[in-house]
Amino acid sequence: SPKVSIVLPFRNEEKYLQACMASILDQTFKNWELIAVDDYSTDQSVSIINEFVIHDKRVKSYKNPSRGLVSALNYGISQSQSPLIARMDGDDLMDSQRLSHQVSHLRKSPDIGVVASQVIHFPRATGNQRKGYELYVQWTNSILNAEDHSLNRFIDCPFAHPSVTFRKSLVEKFGGYTDGSF
């Protein structure tokens, strides 16, 4: 069985999905499964994922039974077969050693529940388009230790989700992603 489940919710990501999938397939750590959850795409995203399903038995495609990112994430986690969950988005890329480093760290440190990394904003902001997320990435990349994470957790999420790997047991113990006004 896989050592890590990559949960990839997507909606209308045809522009970036090929590159995203190439970065997943390029991982040096090979014992993974991909849980791709379509959140009612109207473009060619599902066709792109289905091509990967045909050629790689680790890639599994699902339709979100509800609507929205939170639902797609929780559904993807419920379909996963691994004790570790790596988050990914359809418009993001993984460094080729991401899973290797994160899985290794979690194996060596049973007291750690979540690991994340710094990220490079992709695609780069042009003008004011995506500028807010670029500033968010700069902020998250400046938070590098447990104390800073604790201090900043009420400002916003202090790590970029597509860089996170966590223990599925945390979801089973505390519940999954929640929707609403916080």
Side-chain angles (χ1 to χ4, degrees):
S1 62
K3 300 293 182 195
V4 62
S5 298
I6 304 162
V7 175
L8 170 69
F10 65 92
R11 178 188 299 150
N12 296 336
E13 294 293 352
E14 69 181 6
K15 186 174 180 181
Y16 302 108
L17 206 47
Q18 290 278 0
C20 170
M21 291 299 297
S23 77
I24 293 170
L25 294 173
D26 195 36
Q27 291 299 296
T28 58
F29 184 86
K30 301 295 185 189
N31 192 359
W32 52 261
E33 69 174 344
L34 174 68
I35 308 295
V37 182
D38 172 40
D39 190 27
Y40 296 86
S41 293
T42 57
D43 65 1
Q44 295 302 308
S45 296
V46 173
S47 296
I48 292 168
I49 289 293
N50 286 339
E51 281 298 312
F52 287 96
V53 169
I54 292 168
H55 299 292
D56 193 321
K57 64 180 179 163
R58 298 173 297 175
V59 179
K60 299 169 183 136
S61 180
Y62 298 91
K63 178 83 169 179
N64 188 2
S66 190
R67 284 192 180 263
L69 177 61
V70 168
S71 173
L73 285 168
N74 288 328
Y75 183 70
I77 292 168
S78 76
Q79 298 304 308
S80 68
Q81 302 299 310
S82 169
L84 299 177
I85 306 294
R87 271 283 284 111
M88 193 61 177
D89 286 329
D91 62 347
D92 291 313
L93 305 173
M94 283 190 190
D95 180 85
S96 65
Q97 295 186 22
R98 173 192 166 185
L99 293 180
S100 178
H101 289 302
Q102 291 182 333
V103 170
S104 174
H105 187 71
L106 287 167
R107 280 185 183 161
K108 290 184 216 171
S109 307
D111 57 319
I112 301 288
V114 178
V115 294
S117 67
Q118 291 180 309
V119 297
I120 297 170
H121 186 211
F122 169 83
R124 290 274 184 213
T126 54
N128 284 333
Q129 187 179 19
R130 298 180 59 94
K131 187 66 176 172
Y133 194 72
E134 185 174 279
L135 294 171
Y136 172 75
V137 164
Q138 290 172 11
W139 175 71
T140 62
N141 283 344
S142 72
I143 302 170
L144 299 176
N145 59 49
E147 182 181 358
D148 287 345
H149 276 91
S150 180
L151 291 171
N152 285 284
R153 72 185 186 272
F154 296 114
I155 295 171
D156 202 332
C157 183
F159 43 76
H161 274 266
S163 78
V164 171
T165 299
F166 58 90
R167 297 184 191 281
K168 186 176 178 179
S169 61
L170 294 174
V171 172
E172 293 162 348
K173 183 175 182 178
F174 297 110
Y177 286 88
T178 57
D179 216 352
S181 177
F182 305 105

